[in-house]
Amino acid sequence: MAKERSVFSCNTCGGTSPKWLGKCPHCGAWNTLIETVAPTEASGKNRFASLAKTAEVAVLSEIEASDVDRTPTGHDELDRVLGGGMVEGGVVLIGGDPGIGKSTLLLQALDALQRAGKSTLYVTGEESGAQVALRSRRLGLERSQVKVLAEIQLEKILATLDAQRPDVAVIDSIQTVYSEQLTSAPGSVAQVRECAAHLTRAAKSSGCAIVLVGHVTKEGALAGPRVLEHMVDTVLYFEGDTHSQFRLVRAIKNRFGAVNEIGVFAMTEKGLKGVSNPSAIFLSQHAEPVPGSCVMVTLEGTRPMLVEIQALVDSGGPSPRRLSVGLDKDRLAMLLAVLHRHAGVACMDQDVFVNAVGGVRISEPAADLAVMLAITSSLRGKPLPKGFIAFGEVGLAGEVRPAPRGQERLKEAAKLGFSVAVVPKANAPKKPVEGLTIHAVDRVEEAMDVVRSLL
């Protein structure tokens, strides 16, 4: 019997090499080559026949274009992230840590869609039908009419989709699905890429909306080749600590809606429930103002949210620590240098700890001013005034730069009862915001002087 030939495939880009290498020759990633069985000529024959649909050449201005119809999922927060609901023929990839609630949320969404008169199918490759039924009982989904298929073979799944013609189907998960046309094991780069391509083609040709559940790696990225994210229309990430009650669903890519939109959910005994006012989560409840606390307005997609930034400055040893949770560590070091050079606030011999309350991650630079004011407040031991907010990007020259969509941020703060705001001069509104006193500043030292005058 002839020995099966093996090749080494890259987990990141899917490129192959005849021998193992420490560094992928295609994408340059380290330690990503995994040994797989090389496909034979028979297995590769006509593999792409079903994917090779040709279309007529058309002039762009003559193509009929209309807004895509949305099907609400019954969860307002999920609809917000998707851009309004499920799209006919759309493919959604959702990833997250094990046990964070991906299957729970999708089962609840399918049940709501089924009760709204839509035909649904839940394909499970990780659980039996009985396990899915037990979970639906725990979630309180009594007499649910969602159709369940426990199957991992791609050809059988495609045949079921063709026979049942569901409006929405969930594949949980894409890493468990395999095709008989390939000899590699389920979860390998070749299998994941091939199965996702066939399911995407099935969704586009039949009009069925398909949701693929993806595993994540130790680094938090979606497992499988990166090309998987390019195939689908929408990529969602589940964020949050499994020990915390709250979960965030973030849109990383969306061909039908806003990117970086987030939905906030609370995990309860009856599953995931949407949180309509997420700002309440990310604000600590202090009876009186405390030193080292400053509230900022961050923008996640189209939604302005109030987040409390907390700082603790304590006497350190010969090598002081700089630690930030939910914020960029390198940016914290830069802000401390700007604070020393331009505002005369020195923390060289101090430990500095910065935290964004509620487990939220803030990537935008509009948090700079709030971080600096929180650090100064903790160092001086003086709390900022009650009802105080600040936002703005700080440059290395000490200037305070504007944040995008400043008017919406200020309106959100005023709506939640805040009364004093320190903002960049370019974000100062032309008309006064009712109930909000706005101090517009150009430089860091100006912001410090304004805060001292308020204390």
Side-chain angles (χ1 to χ4, degrees):
M1 184 176 175
K3 183 182 177 182
E4 288 186 327
R5 190 170 66 89
S6 63
V7 294
F8 293 85
S9 300
C10 175
N11 263 333
T12 304
C13 67
T16 58
S17 170
K19 62 180 181 179
W20 187 87
L21 298 169
K23 183 180 181 181
C24 173
H26 302 281
C27 66
W30 289 91
N31 296 324
T32 56
L33 293 180
I34 295 175
E35 186 175 11
T36 57
V37 178
T40 61
E41 288 184 14
S43 67
K45 189 178 180 182
N46 295 328
R47 267 173 51 201
F48 307 110
S50 61
L51 304 179
K53 278 202 168 186
T54 57
E56 296 293 330
V57 177
V59 179
L60 184 62
S61 61
E62 296 175 1
I63 298 174
E64 186 180 348
S66 58
D67 290 336
V68 288
D69 293 328
R70 307 281 183 169
T71 303
T73 61
H75 287 70
D76 292 341
E77 291 297 302
L78 183 58
D79 288 340
R80 172 190 284 273
V81 178
L82 290 170
M86 301 295 294
V87 176
E88 183 180 327
V91 182
V92 179
L93 176 64
I94 182 166
D97 294 328
I100 203 166
K102 302 184 296 294
S103 303
T104 299
L105 177 62
L106 293 174
L107 192 58
Q108 288 179 274
L110 283 185
D111 183 71
L113 286 163
Q114 164 262 310
R115 293 179 192 277
K118 299 293 181 181
S119 172
T120 58
L121 176 66
Y122 186 87
V123 181
T124 172
E126 300 179 347
E127 299 173 297
S128 65
Q131 287 175 306
V132 176
L134 278 172
R135 192 193 308 129
S136 72
R137 306 288 191 279
R138 290 199 306 270
L139 297 175
L141 308 178
E142 300 297 335
R143 297 181 182 178
S144 178
Q145 299 300 307
V146 174
K147 296 172 184 173
V148 179
L149 172 68
E151 183 57 65
I152 61 173
Q153 188 181 332
L154 175 68
E155 288 73 19
K156 290 181 180 177
I157 294 172
L158 292 174
T160 305
L161 289 172
D162 190 48
Q164 296 287 337
R165 295 280 176 179
D167 296 311
V168 182
V170 171
I171 312 296
D172 188 6
S173 67
I174 187 64
Q175 270 79 15
T176 62
V177 180
Y178 77 97
S179 171
E180 284 187 332
Q181 294 179 336
L182 297 176
T183 54
S184 52
S188 63
V189 171
Q191 287 283 10
V192 170
R193 183 170 52 192
E194 192 79 6
C195 294
H198 279 282
L199 288 167
T200 301
R201 175 57 63 197
K204 302 301 179 187
S205 59
S206 67
C208 168
I210 291 181
V211 182
L212 306 176
V213 178
H215 294 170
V216 292
T217 60
K218 290 182 291 184
E219 291 79 21
L222 279 163
R226 193 78 186 190
V227 72
L228 193 62
E229 297 186 27
H230 298 294
M231 286 182 191
V232 300
D233 299 311
T234 307
V235 179
L236 307 181
Y237 272 85
F238 246 103
E239 296 177 2
D241 188 358
T242 52
H243 305 292
S244 171
Q245 180 189 4
F246 299 105
R247 308 281 192 272
L248 301 180
V249 179
R250 186 186 300 273
I252 303 299
K253 170 190 175 182
N254 196 348
R255 288 175 179 157
F256 305 113
V259 187
N260 274 335
E261 192 73 71
I262 71 163
V264 185
F265 295 88
M267 180 64 82
T268 66
E269 292 180 357
K270 295 294 183 182
L272 287 159
K273 305 290 183 187
V275 178
S276 57
N277 183 20
S279 294
I281 303 169
F282 306 122
L283 296 177
S284 292
Q285 303 299 321
H286 302 299
E288 292 295 329
V290 294
S293 172
C294 182
V295 177
M296 71 152 301
V297 191
T298 184
L299 209 62
E300 295 288 353
T302 60
R303 166 187 275 176
M305 285 195 315
L306 272 74
V307 178
E308 182 178 353
I309 305 294
Q310 291 183 338
L312 177 62
V313 180
D314 197 12
S315 56
S319 55
R321 299 183 64 192
R322 307 281 187 258
L323 184 66
S324 65
V325 179
L327 296 145
D328 188 8
K329 294 178 177 60
D330 295 330
R331 198 158 189 90
L332 173 60
M334 185 193 82
L335 292 176
L336 288 171
V338 173
L339 200 59
H340 180 212
R341 181 68 179 267
H342 296 286
V345 179
C347 299
M348 292 163 318
D349 56 345
Q350 306 284 321
D351 289 337
V352 180
F353 305 96
V354 179
N355 175 41
V357 172
V360 68
R361 294 189 187 98
I362 301 174
S363 56
E364 65 167 349
D368 291 351
L369 192 57
V371 170
M372 294 176 85
L373 292 176
I375 290 170
T376 307
S377 169
S378 177
L379 182 66
R380 303 287 186 241
K382 293 182 179 180
L384 294 168
K386 194 170 184 179
F388 178 90
I389 66 151
F391 63 84
E393 180 184 352
V394 176
L396 287 174
E399 78 278 14
V400 180
R401 299 183 180 187
R405 295 164 64 187
Q407 307 293 321
E408 293 180 33
R409 298 177 195 248
L410 291 170
K411 286 177 183 176
E412 179 72 10
K415 190 172 72 176
L416 291 172
F418 284 79
S419 55
V420 183
V422 173
V423 300
K425 189 160 280 185
N427 285 134
K430 294 178 182 177
K431 296 181 180 179
V433 179
E434 188 178 350
L436 193 62
T437 304
I438 297 169
H439 300 274
V441 296
D442 253 341
R443 299 189 58 77
V444 173
E445 48 266 41
E446 284 182 49
M448 296 297 168
D449 291 338
V450 167
V451 171
R452 287 192 197 100
S453 67
L454 293 172
L455 296 177

